[in-house]
Amino acid sequence: MGYKVVVAGATGNVGREMLNILAEREFPVDEIVALASRKSLGTEVSFGDKTLKCKDLDTFDFTGWDIALFAIGSDATKIYAPKAAGAGCIVIDNSSLYRYDPDVPLIVPEVNAHAIMGYAKKNIIANPNCSTAQMVVALKPLHDRATIKRVVVATYQSVSGAGKEGMDELWNQTKAIYNPTDNVPPSKFSKQIAFNVIPHIDVFLDSGETKEEWKMVAETKKILDPKIKVTATCVRVPVFVGHSEAINIETEEFLDWQEAQDILREAPGIMLVDKRESGGYITPIECVGEFATYVSRVRQDSTIENGLSLWCVSDNLRKGAALNAVQIAELLGQKVLKKG
Ligand SMILES: NC(=O)c1ccc[n+]([C@@H]2O[C@H](COP(=O)([O-])OP(=O)(O)OC[C@H]3O[C@@H](n4cnc5c(N)ncnc54)[C@H](OP(=O)(O)O)[C@@H]3O)[C@@H](O)[C@H]2O)c1
């Protein structure tokens, strides 16, 4: 016996990837439904070798469904997640709406699987921001060994993190550069993204940081350890898929870079590719479609007593969103629903 699974936002970047990953990982599905907005009614999406026709989320009855994987943005989530949860269907949500709610667990299975039972308060589990998810997977084993005090991170985030429209804007602007009669002004992004980098993701806060930067701070504390200090600079780059991060770490105890490599090599969810030679590291293009969070360039930071620097790359649509959501569904199956 398997699960009755809803995928809401099935026409989007994350929704399509959730369907792919449910099929790839052979999640025990008895019945599955793909939902999107009314305008996508009947749109076909793939689930393994099957094709599903999208239904309208607005008129869908969640009664009798076990798990709903949501990737529809915060505004729509505010309307439909309580509806699904109230009907007894456990929601795993990709938006930021519930991430900071103390009554909703924020889960990265490699890091804080134990928090899953907190789902029961609202019947909702939150999935973290894409840049946080891959970072905490890399930080967790190092924190367990040497206690991380402070993290300084700069991100290089792909346009798919801004949804389908973000990818279209990079594609169309890039073509327009070679065909100057076309003019594609910035719309999804604040400035031209083709052949450029933009140090601005999400809205500005009074502190001068952006909301994306604040999310990395707040989510790392909630998932990994409230005592860890984090400062982030989040940058959008003209890459379609795959987020990269340059991470500097200060620990309580000294951790030699070779021991850090050994720890990371054994850690769940991580693939260490670190050859200290030309090409001996991972770039975003190589992580597309992969499950792993890749770590490269592990080295000592000798400007502080106990410092390490490393490079971390992952598919933002997978570990940063869809894979993590499906891993949460798997955890929910093992710990709570126990079917399949
Ligand atoms: N992309 C990432 O790396 C990433 C990572 C972590 C979290 N997230 C979060 O995941 C969510 C989805 O992101 P995405 O990148 O997949 O966006 P996207 O490609 O723009 O897709 C949005 C999806 O939501 C659906 N939708 C929007 N409003 C709706 C409504 N009122 N009713 C029903 N369906 C609605 C859309 O359906 P139609 O096609 O019918 O409009 C589409 O299926 C967002 O909350 C985002 O912040 C994204």
Side-chain angles (χ1 to χ4, degrees):
M1 201 164 75
Y3 299 97
K4 290 182 70 172
V5 178
V6 178
V7 175
T11 53
N13 275 344
V14 176
R16 284 179 193 272
E17 209 57 6
M18 290 197 297
L19 287 165
N20 290 337
I21 292 172
L22 285 166
E24 274 174 47
R25 291 172 76 96
E26 297 179 350
F27 187 80
V29 167
D30 264 3
E31 201 177 336
I32 188 158
V33 63
L35 306 178
S37 74
R38 190 160 302 152
K39 80 169 168 25
S40 301
L41 192 68
T43 299
E44 294 189 344
V45 290
S46 301
F47 173 60
D49 51 13
K50 296 192 185 71
T51 300
L52 308 176
K53 284 197 169 147
C54 284
K55 296 187 177 168
D56 180 6
L57 169 61
D58 193 46
T59 54
F60 186 74
D61 180 1
F62 287 89
T63 310
W65 291 80
D66 297 305
I67 300 173
L69 299 160
F70 270 51
I72 56 172
S74 294
D75 291 346
T77 302
K78 199 180 277 181
I79 302 167
Y80 299 107
K83 201 174 150 191
C89 177
I90 302 173
V91 174
I92 300 170
D93 179 35
N94 276 286
S95 83
S96 59
L97 186 67
Y98 291 103
R99 287 182 196 154
Y100 319 107
D101 183 331
D103 291 338
V104 172
L106 178 65
I107 306 273
V108 174
E110 294 88 342
V111 181
N112 65 338
H114 59 272
I116 189 95
M117 297 314 286
Y119 86 93
K121 287 190 185 149
K122 288 199 169 163
N123 247 7
I124 298 173
I125 300 166
N127 212 22
N129 181 259
C130 37
S131 38
T132 309
Q134 68 185 70
M135 184 171 81
V136 293
V137 170
L139 295 183
K140 164 77 174 160
L142 303 176
H143 186 52
D144 286 348
R145 160 65 181 80
T147 311
I148 295 173
K149 291 197 316 198
R150 179 170 184 256
V151 174
V152 182
V153 55
T155 69
Y156 306 74
Q157 296 182 223
S158 68
V159 294
S160 57
K164 291 176 290 190
E165 289 171 16
M167 297 180 84
D168 289 345
E169 192 156 313
L170 173 59
W171 176 245
N172 292 327
Q173 276 181 0
T174 305
K175 284 191 299 181
I177 281 170
Y178 293 103
N179 185 8
T181 52
D182 298 344
N183 179 26
V184 183
S187 153
K188 188 76 186 169
F189 302 113
S190 56
K191 301 207 180 205
Q192 177 183 313
I193 186 63
F195 299 89
N196 202 7
V197 297
I198 305 173
H200 168 198
I201 301 179
D202 210 333
V203 295
F204 274 87
L205 306 177
D206 289 345
S207 60
E209 31 170 23
T210 63
K211 185 88 183 282
E212 186 81 354
E213 290 157 356
W214 177 86
K215 285 176 193 167
M216 291 193 78
V217 177
E219 295 179 23
T220 302
K221 285 176 182 288
K222 184 166 176 179
I223 298 164
L224 185 54
D225 187 337
K227 292 198 283 299
I228 296 179
K229 292 178 184 165
V230 179
T231 178
T233 302
C234 292
V235 181
R236 189 72 72 192
V237 297
V239 166
F240 282 108
V241 177
H243 286 0
S244 308
E245 296 173 347
I247 306 176
N248 179 262
I249 299 162
E250 185 176 2
T251 53
E252 294 273 0
E253 289 167 44
F254 180 76
L255 182 54
D256 173 68
W257 67 270
Q258 282 163 310
E259 188 187 348
Q261 279 188 328
D262 291 341
I263 290 169
L264 290 162
R265 200 175 280 116
E266 297 303 319
I270 292 181
M271 186 74 78
L272 184 83
V273 179
D274 196 7
K275 289 209 179 125
R276 296 189 158 201
E277 64 189 33
S278 177
Y281 42 79
I282 289 289
T283 58
I285 271 179
E286 295 151 281
C287 78
V288 177
E290 299 288 327
F291 286 150
T293 292
Y294 290 90
V295 177
S296 305
R297 306 282 332 274
V298 180
R299 61 207 190 274
Q300 222 73 49
D301 171 7
S302 56
T303 65
I304 49 175
E305 211 173 323
N306 300 327
L308 284 169
S309 292
L310 54 86
W311 175 249
C312 174
V313 181
S314 196
D315 181 331
N316 54 295
L317 300 177
R318 292 204 151 208
K319 187 59 196 169
L323 170 62
N324 201 69
V326 173
Q327 286 178 296
I328 294 172
E330 290 168 350
L331 194 61
L332 203 56
Q334 290 153 18
K335 302 269 186 221
V336 180
L337 299 171
K338 299 183 177 167
K339 292 191 203 171

